[in-house]
Amino acid sequence: VKSPLEITVQSAGGFASIKVAENEVSPGGVGYNLVVLDPGNGRVLAAQSFNTGAEAAQSAALAEFVAAIPSGRIVAVAGRGQAGANLSAAAIAALGSLGLNGDLRATPGWVHAAVGVKGAAPGQALEQAAEGFSFVHLGPNADKRTLAAAVDFVKMTKVEP
């Protein structure tokens, strides 16, 4: 996945975050949150959440939404809550068309974070599905902390072989 802007996706039971160039763009809803980006400039083209944990009909809506995305568009995905509880085979196939390989249907308590491209083969996305917390980052180092060290004394001794 190549992007003109930094993308960070975090997913946990209580939140779903998608940041583009450090700006929050995720709808943040319960279930799957998808953000479609222009691959040329990183501009957000669409953002929608689907409560696939509570409503089976939302699984069909997710599949229809993904089907309408043109090939080559970048799509960031963050699951919140029990996003996999009511996923259909059609929704899994739709997520697969973004390069995703994860299937949360049989993994209660697992969450999903990914950045894929519409038209990619399953397994080609930057993706993490795990219990409790998932994180993916595309771009320079996501850790922006300033690191420092203080040294009080250094002694160097020549060691003879």
Side-chain angles (χ1 to χ4, degrees):
V1 179
K2 292 183 180 179
S3 172
L5 298 174
E6 202 170 348
I7 303 171
T8 303
V9 182
Q10 297 180 72
S11 174
F15 74 93
S17 171
I18 299 171
K19 291 183 178 179
V20 176
E22 299 187 19
N23 296 307
E24 184 64 53
V25 295
S26 174
V30 174
Y32 271 97
N33 293 269
L34 279 73
V35 175
V36 181
L37 304 168
D38 184 303
N41 59 22
R43 185 173 56 93
V44 174
L45 301 172
Q48 193 161 342
S49 64
F50 302 91
N51 191 351
T52 52
E55 301 176 37
Q58 287 291 294
S59 200
L62 182 150
E64 290 172 15
F65 179 83
V66 172
I69 299 170
S71 261
R73 298 281 166 90
I74 298 168
V75 183
V77 178
R80 178 178 167 202
Q82 296 296 325
N86 288 300
L87 282 178
S88 64
I92 294 297
L95 293 172
S97 76
L98 304 175
L100 278 65
N101 207 25
D103 182 347
L104 300 187
R105 291 180 291 185
T107 53
W110 279 45
V111 292
H112 206 178
V115 179
V117 176
K118 177 65 184 280
Q124 297 299 306
L126 177 61
E127 175 180 32
Q128 184 181 34
E131 188 172 5
F133 181 78
S134 291
F135 173 88
V136 296
H137 178 79
L138 184 62
N141 189 349
D143 188 349
K144 305 279 191 232
R145 296 175 295 177
T146 301
L147 301 177
V151 179
D152 187 275
F153 178 78
V154 176
K155 179 178 179 182
M156 298 178 78
T157 306
K158 184 176 180 180
V159 178
E160 297 294 331

